[in-house]
Amino acid sequence: MALVLTLSIAAASCQYFDRQVPSKDELLEKELKSINWQEVDEFPSVEACDSVSDKVLRRQCFLDFLVANIQQRLHAEPLKVLYPNLDTIEMKVTIFPDAHVEFEPKLTDSLIYGKATVDSILKARLSDFPSIKPALKRDIPVKTQFVLPVVLEVK
């Protein structure tokens, strides 16, 4: 009886060791396919939004902070004198993994000739922008970009 039990355990053990172990390349490929590269795990943030725990509300807090801060810095700026019909600029905001931020206006055809002027004004007014924590993907800082409509004069 003990011999039969021992042989049964030995046979079961051998079947356990006969299973194919996936290679590290197969495991890596499977893991890479499971990652959604179009979304970040944690959205960029600023200190004012760190206390918000809900992911959607935290994202909205951050976007509201960006727009309000850009609007405040561009308010009463020569842009309104140079371009009185300009009320909104679409701003491409890029946040890099090292936490530095770049702003690039998306100018309409009527402003394309004044691009250098607009760029220099924006660069001067946005140079000391508050610190932004970059987005995270799997706890690694990543680059993110947003295009935001910035209203130059709120009436």
Side-chain angles (χ1 to χ4, degrees), residues 24-37 138:
K24 66 179 180 179
D25 293 333
E26 289 172 354
L27 289 173
L28 177 62
E29 186 69 29
K30 183 178 178 183
E31 186 67 18
L32 288 174
K33 285 181 180 179
S34 72
I35 297 172
N36 181 352
W37 294 105
R138 301 208 153 206

Side-chain angles (χ1 to χ4, degrees), residues 39-129:
E39 293 182 15
V40 294
D41 297 336
E42 192 173 319
F43 213 70
S45 187
V46 290
E47 196 171 309
C49 299
D50 282 347
S51 61
V52 179
S53 59
D54 182 65
K55 193 174 182 176
V56 174
L57 293 176
R58 189 175 190 167
R59 178 179 191 255
Q60 191 58 50
C61 175
F62 172 72
L63 294 174
D64 291 345
F65 172 86
L66 272 181
V67 171
N69 212 298
I70 293 169
Q71 285 174 337
Q72 178 186 8
R73 291 164 179 273
L74 297 180
H75 184 68
E77 209 22 65
L79 284 175
K80 287 308 290 176
V81 174
L82 294 170
Y83 307 102
N85 295 331
L86 183 64
D87 62 350
T88 304
I89 293 180
E90 284 202 353
M91 185 76 67
K92 181 167 113 179
V93 181
T94 305
I95 303 165
F96 291 89
D98 64 358
H100 90 273
V101 182
E102 286 183 4
F103 300 93
E104 180 186 337
K106 305 296 248 173
L107 302 176
T108 61
D109 291 340
S110 63
L111 292 176
I112 205 70
Y113 295 110
K115 183 175 178 10
T117 304
V118 172
D119 282 345
S120 66
I121 291 170
L122 292 174
K123 189 172 278 189
R125 297 304 261 161
L126 299 172
S127 64
D128 62 340
F129 205 79

